[in-house]
Amino acid sequence: MLTTSYAFFSGKVTHVKTPSDNGRLADQLSIGFLTSVFPVSLLDEVVGVSGCAERRRRALPARLTIYYVLALRLFSDKNYDQVMRLLLNGLAWRSRWVYTWEPPSASAISRARARLGAEPLRVLFYRVTGPVAEPRTSRSWLAGLRPVTMDGTTLAVPETRDNSAFGYPDGAARFPRVRVVAVAENGTHALIDATFGSSAVEEHILARRLLRCLESDMLLLARSGPWGLELWRQAVETGTHLLWGVTGADALPVGRSFEDGSYLSRPAGLGGAPLRVIPLPGAEWLITTLVDPRQASASELAARYAERWVMDSALAWLHSGRRAPAITLRSRSPEMVAQEIWALLCVYQAMRELTCQATSHAGASCTCARV
């Protein structure tokens, strides 16, 4: 938390006795949230690891610029200047109006973001990411495993010559889009890992990068595409268990049937390795490596799959109560887009962890309904 000197922010500092702009308390609390969840000591570590520590004193040092980029995602309905004013007002409020700062120019903000780059925000994301559910929270576990979901979405970016490299997902798309894929804890919706790339890159290619985060005590929930069996084989090699939604599972060979309506299958494409098939109403079926119904019944697995984390609505949750209808990025170059995406994921993760801490203090388990 900001309990020490504010001099590290540099800039033009003025001592005052009363606030010059009261602002909205909700906005000031939002800045307090940033400085509490992302303390100065953490930002110092991130700046050092990223190799972007300054050699000379600047009006917008790296630490302040990181707070600013995070604030861009908290106040996505504000322009760049307004976000900076909200940030500085929030910091002044945190100092009980002992200090205020003159907002820098828009060009100074752009230069500071360019100096910072995307790497510090990526490092920050991996400092705060990870599952948060404790073993005692039963809804976050199934058969001794931690259900996690892999899902993806695309985010629109401004149409610039540089951003056009991200591609257009289809002929009707007005703006270039970035494809983002993440793995999240199913019970708490806390992020475990994430990656992104051009919208021209198919989701399963990005998904392969995220196999690195899987562990043997996890149960990976995902919706499979036509590439499913290939990615399935690669995911199984990590030692994690799988529960995937597929179409066309009725074409799989039928082996031993179980009382809960599921049955074993040994598809030729998996080299004869067994999987369990769970028929569902409609076109989608489930397949899982949990081949013993005594570990988890078909109804239990179907219920957990229905509660899986969905990235589109999870990120939209950040805008609860705001007018912005969807996540749209504002950066005009690929490096700044990457910086903004990492900031978005950092803010999302911090808010999930804060929610879990609040429910834990209230004596409840941190689990989420599907959002």
Side-chain angles (χ1 to χ4, degrees):
M1 295 177 65
L2 285 178
T3 57
T4 57
S5 170
Y6 284 70
F8 80 95
F9 286 118
S10 188
K12 296 181 180 180
V13 181
T14 304
H15 293 267
V16 294
K17 293 184 179 180
T18 57
S20 57
D21 181 0
N22 287 323
R24 290 196 314 147
L25 179 59
D27 293 337
Q28 293 163 349
L29 290 174
S30 295
I31 300 304
F33 157 77
L34 284 183
T35 56
S36 297
V37 177
F38 304 104
V40 171
S41 59
L42 175 60
L43 299 196
D44 280 342
E45 178 187 345
V46 165
V47 168
V49 170
S50 305
C52 61
E54 291 116 341
R55 296 183 179 180
R56 64 186 179 89
R57 189 180 181 89
R58 294 184 181 275
L60 277 172
R63 284 169 289 189
L64 179 56
T65 307
I66 291 175
Y67 278 135
Y68 174 73
V69 177
L70 294 169
L72 283 176
R73 295 315 317 169
L74 275 182
F75 304 106
S76 58
D77 55 340
K78 308 293 185 185
N79 64 36
Y80 286 158
D81 291 339
Q82 289 172 327
V83 172
M84 180 58 77
R85 290 180 181 276
L86 287 170
L87 174 61
L88 296 181
N89 279 342
L91 295 172
W93 177 73
R94 293 275 288 170
S95 75
R96 297 187 180 182
W97 301 98
V98 173
Y99 299 99
T100 60
W101 293 265
E102 289 187 14
S105 65
S107 60
I109 294 173
S110 296
R111 290 194 299 271
R113 286 191 64 195
R115 284 196 305 271
L116 184 70
E119 181 62 11
L121 275 299
R122 187 193 71 83
V123 173
L124 181 61
F125 171 74
Y126 283 106
R127 287 293 189 273
V128 301
T129 193
V132 298
E134 299 176 358
R136 62 182 176 84
T137 55
S138 59
R139 287 298 300 167
S140 295
W141 297 82
L142 176 65
L145 301 173
R146 184 194 305 271
V148 301
T149 299
M150 180 183 289
D151 196 35
T153 188
T154 60
L155 306 176
V157 299
E159 189 174 27
T160 66
R161 184 173 63 180
D162 291 338
N163 280 351
S164 64
F166 288 119
Y168 299 77
D170 54 62
R174 292 183 54 197
F175 299 101
R177 299 185 77 89
V178 183
R179 189 179 306 280
V180 185
V181 182
V183 174
E185 191 174 42
N186 215 49
T188 65
H189 295 181
L191 295 175
I192 297 173
D193 201 353
T195 189
F196 53 88
S198 165
S199 61
V201 178
E202 294 187 29
E203 186 170 318
H204 71 279
I205 295 176
L206 295 176
R208 287 196 189 103
R209 301 178 188 174
L210 300 182
L211 298 182
R212 64 197 176 199
C213 76
L214 301 180
E215 299 180 0
S216 59
D217 67 343
M218 292 179 176
L219 174 65
L220 177 64
L221 283 60
R223 178 172 284 164
S224 174
W227 33 262
L229 289 184
E230 178 184 356
L231 188 60
W232 175 281
R233 284 195 301 269
Q234 295 170 343
V236 166
E237 290 175 358
T238 68
T240 194
H241 283 282
L242 310 180
L243 175 63
W244 288 15
V246 299
T247 56
D250 52 340
L252 294 175
V254 179
R256 178 184 175 187
S257 297
F258 300 108
E259 292 183 358
D260 64 0
S262 64
Y263 61 85
L264 283 182
S265 183
R266 296 180 181 271
L270 295 180
L275 58 81
R276 186 164 149 227
V277 181
I278 301 172
L280 296 179
E284 191 172 46
W285 294 32
L286 299 181
I287 57 175
T288 181
T289 56
L290 296 176
V291 295
D292 188 346
R294 291 173 296 182
Q295 286 181 280
S297 68
S299 59
E300 287 178 311
L301 292 172
R304 287 302 177 93
Y305 182 77
E307 296 171 354
R308 70 193 181 280
W309 177 77
V310 179
M311 193 170 191
D312 275 328
S313 50
L315 293 183
W317 176 75
L318 286 173
H319 292 274
S320 178
R322 296 190 183 275
R323 293 182 179 180
I327 298 290
T328 302
L329 306 182
R330 60 176 96 193
S331 300
R332 303 180 66 81
S333 70
E335 180 71 8
M336 295 300 96
V337 166
Q339 183 189 77
E340 193 175 350
I341 291 175
W342 289 123
L344 169 66
L345 298 175
C346 283
V347 170
Y348 171 84
Q349 178 73 358
M351 294 184 76
R352 289 308 322 152
E353 187 166 355
L354 196 65
T355 300
C356 287
Q357 290 175 0
T359 55
S360 178
H361 292 159
S365 61
C366 180
T367 56
C368 302
R370 182 178 177 182
V371 295

